[in-house]
Amino acid sequence: MLGRSRKAARVRDVRAVWAVCSALLDYPTDELVASLDDLERLVPGNAHLAALIAHLRDRPLREVQADYVATFDHARKCALYLTYFAYGDTRRRGAALVGFKETYRLGGVEWDEETGELPDHLCAVLQFGATVDAALAAGLLTDHRAGVEMLRLALTGWRNDDGTTGSPWAGALLALCDTLPELRGEEADAVRRLVEQGPPAEDV
């Protein structure tokens, strides 16, 4: 009984971290800024997320939005799409995206194509895990563990205009990685290949 209670508490903690990471990694809006106090209460004592929340709270929204676009929309190494790291823009990526939709369906939800977003977006996966099925989401994150790690490395190594290192959004990836298993041998090798070669290109 005690073991089950601890496991349930662990799942609740993971869900809370994923819910907050999903919100903070999305495009910043007035609604996000207004919800920062509520998000902070979900993850008390999480230093990684507290630092990101403080950054979003203290900076003008337009400045944060510009930084977000420069980071996630203009830097391919910071893509929030998990299949991009494994398949690049090759045709194999299409099959992988279908796999994400099938996983959501196993959890009892259908991917809404009208969102205009791809189903492998990290925010979508984390929201699915936080609100629908943590185990299925964990499977997707584990399958793309190398991509998550690559994104963490890109954000922690981000060079800012003032000469400092580290994107404010690195905190969300650090918090996320704390909820995931350590990289295994093959996964570590995959990360090294991504760092050296980048995502795969289409074979012609």
Side-chain angles (χ1 to χ4, degrees):
M1 181 66 71
L2 182 60
R4 287 198 296 273
S5 298
R6 288 176 176 171
K7 183 176 181 180
R10 164 71 175 168
V11 171
R12 285 196 300 272
D13 290 344
V14 167
R15 283 179 180 267
V17 171
W18 289 357
V20 174
C21 286
S22 176
L24 297 179
L25 286 169
D26 206 352
Y27 182 75
T29 61
D30 287 318
E31 290 76 15
L32 173 62
V33 173
S35 71
L36 290 177
D37 289 346
D38 292 334
L39 294 174
E40 193 168 36
R41 281 192 286 270
L42 287 175
V43 286
N46 190 307
H48 296 312
L49 294 175
L52 175 53
I53 289 171
H55 176 83
L56 296 174
R57 183 183 285 131
D58 296 341
R59 298 294 191 281
L61 179 59
R62 286 180 180 270
E63 178 183 315
V64 172
Q65 289 172 333
D67 288 344
Y68 183 95
V69 170
T71 302
F72 295 110
D73 294 351
H74 294 167
R76 300 181 75 182
K77 64 182 179 180
C78 295
L80 288 168
Y81 300 96
L82 294 179
T83 62
Y84 174 74
F85 293 102
Y87 303 106
D89 289 321
T90 66
R91 283 167 290 185
R92 289 179 298 166
R93 189 179 176 197
L97 292 172
V98 171
F100 274 75
K101 294 178 184 178
E102 291 174 348
T103 299
Y104 295 148
R105 193 171 295 119
L106 284 175
V109 296
E110 291 289 335
W111 179 254
D112 185 0
E113 300 288 353
E114 293 185 1
T115 63
E117 194 53 271
L118 295 175
D120 65 332
H121 195 286
L122 181 55
C123 292
V125 176
L126 293 176
Q127 184 181 24
F128 173 72
T131 61
V132 180
D133 195 309
L136 287 174
L140 291 173
L141 293 168
T142 301
D143 288 346
H144 294 272
R145 185 68 177 83
V148 173
E149 181 66 11
M150 184 67 182
L151 180 56
R152 184 192 69 80
L153 290 172
L155 292 174
T156 55
W158 182 267
R159 297 302 299 272
N160 299 299
D161 292 338
D162 62 3
T164 59
T165 301
S167 164
W169 286 278
L173 267 295
L174 291 167
L176 169 58
C177 288
D178 282 348
T179 70
L180 301 177
E182 294 291 329
L183 285 169
R184 298 188 297 268
E186 291 183 358
E187 292 168 334
D189 290 341
V191 172
R192 281 193 289 271
R193 285 195 298 272
L194 278 171
V195 171
E196 293 171 0
Q197 304 170 12
E202 189 73 81
D203 294 327
V204 178

